[in-house]
């Protein structure tokens, strides 16, 4: 049995294994069916059941989920997609992959999420979709603006890579009527090793994503099909989730309640330990509803603190350098003052399930010393 041996607890992020993952993978390896298989479909059913939605479509990554979801929403060349600059670059690359223009917007520095007002201010006649990023596990469902967006034919495609299992009021993320994209990458709250999931709003969207993830092939291939041919109905990529990865996700899902409890406990421990420190602002999480993905602070002394903590072997990180300042996205650069300030001041503290209360004490003590020096 392979469980996570405790890695250096001061790493910024780490997967956490519960012990059944390796056996689940071994079973798939012995089965000889490594690609899309019944195991992948079982993972889809279990995720749909967990969320209480009719369907879920597994893909090979969160990036693939965003790419296929944008295509399923009808976004393409000539249209514009509103996205916060404060996100992982994958969100932006998925928009470029469909040939749409990028309209970067600011975030609320208190939550690192977009607000309804910021979205409203950015909508134009060219807007085809808004991609809110559910930063750190916070729900940012834009409920108050949904009516207006729907009336203008603007899709909400949620980047919920950080937010599997989080709730907004009574709604689990993925159940509030948006086209939702999860990532099950190595350090996400639930991991497949690599993987992603699209929660479609309609059966048509589900069919589209299923075709897109299998190279545009519409009918079963190989031994499943009793024909000498197959039908390529349209564009598609090799985006299916392998059974090997799905098996890891299934084993992880069995323990998700523990994952959620542990992450909430660790986040609250950090919150209490950080409270006495001057000149740091905790980026707040509604920890009763969210499953926290990161523990972040804002400090005007970020660069100095980053260097001092790294010198002590503490894996602090920056989520994220603003995308509107990246060379690849220079065509869509604009002035985004809140994002630029966050880009200078944000610091992610080590946050993963191998941490103990003692580890958190060590990190926060070192942080206090770095701030005081
Ligand atoms: C991880 C992540 C993605 C991409 O997911 P992958 O599974 O790594 O492709 C997209 N957006 C955000 C905010 C992420 O953190």
């Amino acid at each position: 049995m392979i469980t996570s041996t405790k890695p250096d607890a001061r790493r910024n992020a780490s997967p956490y294994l519960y012990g059944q993952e390796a056996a689940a993978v071994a079973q798939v390896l012995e089965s000889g069916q490594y690609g899309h298989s019944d195991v992948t479909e079982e993972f889809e059913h279990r995720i749909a059941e967990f969320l209480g939605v009719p369907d879920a479509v597994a893909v090979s990554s969160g990036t693939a989920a965003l790419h296929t979801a944008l295509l399923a929403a009808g976004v393409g060349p000539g249209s514009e997609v509103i996205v916060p600059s404060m996100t992982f670059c994958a969100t932006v690359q998925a928009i470029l992959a469909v040939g749409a223009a990028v309209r970067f917007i600011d975030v609320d520095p208190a939550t690192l999420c977009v607000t309804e007002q910021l979205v409203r201010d950015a909508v134009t006649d060219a807007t085809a979709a808004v991609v809110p990023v559910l930063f750190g596990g916070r729900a940012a469902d834009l409920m108050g603006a949904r009516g207006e967006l729907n009336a203008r034919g603007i899709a909400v495609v949620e980047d919920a890579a950080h937010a599997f299992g989080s709730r907004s009021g009574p709604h689990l993320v993925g159940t509030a009527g948006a086209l939702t994209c999860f990532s099950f990458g190595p350090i996400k709250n639930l991991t497949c090793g690599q993987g992603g999931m699209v929660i479609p709003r309609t059966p048509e969207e589900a069919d589209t994503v299923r075709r897109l993830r299998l190279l545009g092939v519409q009918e079963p291939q190989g031994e499943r099909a009793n024909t000498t041919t197959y039908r390529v109905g349209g564009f598609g990529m090799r985006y299916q989730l392998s059974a090997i990865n799905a098996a890891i996700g299934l084993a992880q899902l069995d323990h998700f309640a523990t994952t959620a409890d542990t992450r909430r406990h660790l986040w609250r421990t950090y919150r209490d330990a950080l409270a006495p420190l001057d000149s740091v602002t905790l980026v707040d999480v509604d920890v009763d509803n969210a499953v926290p993905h990161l523990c972040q602070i804002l400090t005007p002394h970020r660069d100095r603190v980053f260097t001092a903590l790294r010198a002590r072997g503490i894996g602090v990180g920056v989520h994220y350098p603003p995308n509107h300042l990246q060379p690849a996205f220079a065509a869509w650069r604009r002035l985004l003052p809140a994002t630029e300030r966050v880009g200078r001041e944000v610091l992610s503290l080590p946050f993963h399930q191998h941490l103990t209360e003692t580890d958190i004490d060590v990190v926060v003590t070192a942080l206090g010393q770095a701030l005081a020096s």
Side-chain angles (χ1 to χ4, degrees):
M1 185 160 102
I2 298 176
T3 47
S4 304
T5 47
K6 189 168 159 68
D8 182 348
R10 296 189 225 167
R11 275 204 270 180
N12 187 254
S14 172
Y16 188 88
L17 299 182
Y18 286 95
Q20 284 78 44
E21 292 87 348
V25 168
Q27 217 179 335
V28 172
L29 293 178
E30 283 159 21
S31 79
Q33 299 201 345
Y34 302 168
H36 179 96
S37 82
D38 295 349
V39 179
T40 314
E41 286 170 19
E42 187 188 342
F43 185 51
E44 291 179 328
H45 292 150
R46 290 278 310 282
I47 292 285
E49 186 182 73
F50 176 91
L51 297 174
V53 293
D55 202 0
V57 186
V59 290
S60 55
S61 70
T63 310
L66 288 160
H67 184 188
T68 54
L70 286 165
L71 289 170
V75 181
S79 58
E80 196 170 67
V81 177
I82 295 174
V83 64
S85 169
M86 184 47 58
T87 181
F88 186 44
C89 60
T91 323
V92 187
Q93 297 287 24
I95 297 168
L96 295 194
V98 304
V102 177
R103 165 81 181 206
F104 284 123
I105 63 170
D106 236 335
V107 287
D108 176 356
T111 61
L112 310 189
C113 290
V114 299
T115 64
E116 285 160 13
Q117 195 55 48
L118 287 163
V119 170
R120 281 193 190 99
D121 291 347
V123 168
T124 68
D125 290 342
T127 308
V130 182
V131 184
V133 176
L134 281 51
F135 211 106
R138 297 164 193 87
D141 54 26
L142 302 177
M143 275 308 190
R146 285 279 187 88
E148 296 152 65
L149 295 172
N150 283 343
R152 298 190 65 161
I154 299 170
V156 176
V157 179
E158 284 181 334
D159 181 341
H162 294 181
F164 182 74
S166 289
R167 273 181 288 122
S168 165
H171 299 292
L172 275 170
V173 167
T175 68
L179 190 49
T180 300
C181 301
F182 292 111
S183 164
F184 302 129
I187 58 161
K188 297 307 197 307
N189 290 2
L190 185 140
T191 189
C192 289
Q194 294 281 2
M197 193 73 73
V198 177
I199 310 303
R201 296 170 298 181
T202 62
E204 293 71 35
E205 284 175 350
D207 286 348
T208 301
V209 176
R210 289 199 161 95
R211 177 167 48 75
L212 286 166
R213 75 177 172 185
L214 265 180
L215 297 165
V217 175
Q218 279 175 317
E219 280 153 21
Q221 310 171 53
E223 289 176 34
R224 284 188 176 199
N226 255 334
T227 66
T228 54
T229 186
Y230 55 83
R231 183 177 141 77
V232 185
F235 174 76
M237 300 295 284
R238 174 63 90 196
Y239 274 168
Q240 87 257 24
L241 183 70
S242 84
I244 298 169
N245 294 106
I248 298 172
L250 277 166
Q252 289 260 301
L253 191 56
D254 285 337
H255 297 277
F256 191 75
T258 306
T259 299
D261 285 348
T262 306
R263 298 186 82 91
R264 287 178 174 134
H265 174 71
L266 293 170
W267 195 89
R268 290 185 180 110
T269 304
Y270 260 124
R271 179 187 59 195
D272 296 346
L274 289 164
L277 294 187
D278 293 330
S279 74
V280 307
T281 307
L282 181 67
V283 185
D284 204 13
V285 175
D286 172 13
V287 68
D288 296 329
N289 286 304
V291 180
H293 177 59
L294 297 165
C295 180
Q296 296 175 291
I297 57 168
L298 297 174
T299 169
H301 311 295
R302 198 275 309 275
D303 288 357
R304 184 161 61 76
V305 167
F306 178 93
T307 307
L309 292 183
R310 278 284 179 98
R312 294 180 64 169
I314 296 178
V316 282
V318 173
H319 298 89
Y320 297 95
N323 283 289
H324 71 289
L325 304 178
Q326 293 287 3
F329 312 136
W332 297 285
R333 188 166 294 180
R334 58 200 309 121
L335 202 62
L336 298 173
T339 299
E340 285 169 34
R341 179 166 81 83
V342 169
R344 287 189 302 271
E345 298 194 352
V346 78
L347 188 73
S348 300
L349 303 174
F351 193 71
H352 52 79
Q353 287 160 250
H354 295 282
L355 286 175
T356 62
E357 291 178 9
T358 311
D359 296 324
I360 291 176
D361 191 49
V362 169
V363 172
V364 175
T365 302
L367 174 64
Q369 288 165 352
L371 285 164
S373 67

